[in-house]
Amino acid sequence: MTRNPDIDVYATIRPGTEITCDVTKSEVQLRFGGHADGFHLIIEAGALSRFVDSMQGALDSLQNAA
């Protein structure tokens, strides 16, 4: 897998999308979709809490809008 931090990736994750997670000492790898058309999201340990906080904020916003 090639890592390029200069590429923006946009994707829609729909209900039913397979999501798997691998954790190492320095990063978390989330894999969305189990097929060739899936993608990986790699979050370094130092950024993980910001990512989780951001996702929690998004979830709260969606729940408040309902």
Side-chain angles (χ1 to χ4, degrees):
M1 173 176 48
T2 301
R3 294 183 186 195
N4 186 341
D6 298 325
I7 296 176
D8 293 332
V9 176
Y10 298 91
T12 300
I13 302 166
R14 293 182 175 82
T17 299
E18 180 183 347
I19 302 172
T20 58
C21 177
D22 287 327
V23 179
T24 69
K25 286 182 4 180
S26 62
E27 64 189 26
V28 172
Q29 256 191 45
L30 296 171
R31 286 187 302 282
F32 300 87
H35 307 93
D37 61 347
F39 71 97
H40 292 189
L41 175 62
I42 299 168
I43 307 166
E44 293 181 359
L48 185 58
S49 65
R50 288 183 306 156
F51 177 80
V52 171
D53 288 347
S54 176
M55 292 298 100
Q56 184 62 56
L59 180 59
D60 292 345
S61 294
L62 287 171
Q63 290 173 337
N64 291 333

